[in-house]
Amino acid sequence: MKTDERDQIRAAMERILSGIAERSNGALTIVALALEADVPRNALTQRHTDLKNVFYARVAERGAPSEVESRLRATIAALKKTIANKNAELANSGPTSPPSSGR
């Protein structure tokens, strides 16, 4: 275990909660926190569960999601709608006939 791992996690937590993530997408998740801290996710889920709990508590204190998270969620919703529309288009176009052999 790195001796500075806890410091890396604390610094990453501050960056994410301040909206100035450098290595991650800034989402308020353990995955993003691990990426931001440049540590494996299990560092938070197994070794430093206290820091994971502090992160979740601070996220809960904030109430609403960050601007970055709201933008990401809106993008995901728009992409899901696009996929659903394309799938509907494909379903409505019907089967295509195989190319003729030219005989």
Side-chain angles (χ1 to χ4, degrees):
M1 174 172 36
K2 296 179 184 177
T3 56
D4 63 334
E5 198 170 58
R6 292 181 66 82
D7 290 335
Q8 288 175 244
I9 294 168
R10 285 188 194 103
M13 195 180 311
E14 292 305 320
R15 287 192 303 273
I16 286 177
L17 293 171
S18 299
I20 53 171
E22 297 171 358
R23 296 182 183 102
S24 70
N25 61 13
L28 302 176
T29 65
I30 292 303
V31 173
L33 180 57
L35 284 170
E36 187 66 27
D38 195 27
V39 298
R41 191 174 63 191
N42 73 351
L44 290 158
T45 60
Q46 296 173 13
R47 290 193 296 270
H48 307 298
T49 56
D50 60 321
L51 293 178
K52 175 188 74 167
N53 294 337
V54 167
F55 180 68
Y56 279 146
R58 290 186 62 191
V59 168
E61 287 171 8
R62 296 171 54 111
S66 70
E67 180 184 333
V68 171
E69 186 173 359
S70 295
R71 272 195 319 244
L72 288 171
R73 289 185 186 279
T75 300
I76 289 168
L79 290 170
K80 284 181 177 180
K81 187 175 180 179
T82 299
I83 290 169
N85 289 341
K86 291 296 180 185
N87 286 339
E89 273 181 40
L90 289 171
N92 291 332
S93 67
T96 58
S97 55
S100 63
S101 63
R103 293 180 193 186

